[in-house]
Amino acid sequence: MPVFRLSKQLIFPPVSLAEPDGLLAVGGDLSVERLLLAYRSGIFPWFDERPILWWSPDPRFVLFPADLKVSASMRQVLRRNQFRITYNADFPAVIARCSRIPRAGQNGTWITKEMQDAYIRLHKAGYAMSIESWEDDRLVGGLYGVKIGSCFFGESMFADVSNASKAAFITFVQAYAHELALIDCQVETEHLASLGAGFISRDTFLELLQVS
């Protein structure tokens, strides 16, 4: 199938036309309007350098809040209040820190300065949010993503201290369980699988987006 090249027009091709690996389109921009349209359509950007690449994988790796798994060791960490968890206390610091963590098999980062600026704009518009883990006044872990309706689209997390990002994620899911129907993890990781994430079909994912 062809990979579609986007123009300035605010439109995406149907996700059913994506490549087997999920690649759907190239080009376009990272405006707030285009990013919101992408997420609402089951699409997300992921690229190292220009052009922008847009993806919609099938199946989709997601977590339903009711399926969250908290290990006995993590329950102890949370009971001890080892970390102070906050929301949107320092979004720019979280995304900047996520951009610097080394990732297996990658020489650089997909969270470029252009991506950071785009998601900071989304944050200022009220859609992107961060969850922070602190030890005293030191930021030691966290995550960020995009919340639209009852769906949270997770983007990245980091931990400078063991369990810091897990504590932030678990606390967030438990605190928002009453209003979140779905957490989109995008692609499979062992870390998120251990917390209860699993695969659903892209069609099912899109159906859930329509009612979220």
Side-chain angles (χ1 to χ4, degrees):
M1 291 183 182
V3 174
F4 294 85
R5 180 166 293 278
L6 302 180
S7 66
K8 292 182 179 180
Q9 187 178 6
L10 200 59
I11 190 171
F12 285 98
V15 296
S16 60
L17 298 179
E19 293 287 300
D21 62 0
L23 181 60
L24 176 66
V26 302
D29 56 58
L30 294 174
S31 65
V32 168
E33 295 78 14
R34 190 180 295 275
L35 284 170
L36 291 178
L37 175 61
Y39 283 108
R40 288 170 175 149
S41 304
I43 302 164
F44 59 87
W46 187 23
F47 65 103
D48 293 327
E49 56 186 33
R50 288 278 187 168
I52 301 170
L53 305 180
W54 300 91
W55 304 80
S56 184
D58 185 18
R60 196 76 166 229
F61 202 58
V62 305
L63 174 69
F64 296 100
D67 293 336
L68 177 68
K69 296 178 181 177
V70 184
S71 67
S73 60
M74 276 307 303
R75 286 196 293 270
Q76 291 179 356
V77 168
L78 295 169
R79 280 198 296 267
R80 290 198 306 267
N81 292 318
Q82 178 179 345
F83 304 105
R84 178 171 59 90
I85 309 299
T86 58
Y87 302 92
N88 296 317
D90 198 339
F91 185 94
V94 170
I95 192 171
R97 188 64 191 85
C98 286
S99 76
R100 295 196 296 269
I101 61 174
R103 301 181 189 275
Q106 297 183 22
N107 295 323
T109 177
W110 58 272
I111 310 175
T112 62
K113 180 63 164 56
E114 181 182 17
M115 287 284 277
Q116 291 179 57
D117 290 344
Y119 282 82
I120 288 172
R121 290 193 296 270
L122 265 185
H123 173 64
K124 291 179 178 178
Y127 293 99
M129 65 180 296
S130 60
I131 302 93
E132 301 89 11
S133 283
W134 306 82
E135 281 190 338
D136 298 322
D137 292 325
R138 185 166 72 98
L139 179 65
V140 294
L143 64 136
Y144 77 97
V146 178
K147 185 176 180 297
I148 302 176
S150 60
C151 187
F152 179 77
F153 304 85
E155 283 298 322
S156 187
M157 58 177 62
F158 81 96
D160 291 335
V161 173
S162 180
N163 295 318
S165 62
K166 274 190 177 181
F169 183 78
I170 291 168
T171 301
F172 163 67
V173 174
Q174 292 176 335
Y176 279 76
H178 64 288
E179 62 180 270
L180 284 179
L182 180 70
I183 297 169
D184 176 29
C185 305
Q186 297 179 348
V187 294
E188 181 181 14
T189 68
E190 183 178 341
H191 175 69
L192 291 168
S194 71
L195 292 169
F199 286 107
I200 61 173
S201 72
R202 183 171 56 206
D203 285 345
T204 299
F205 178 71
L206 293 174
E207 289 172 5
L208 291 170
L209 286 187
Q210 296 306 311
V211 297
S212 66

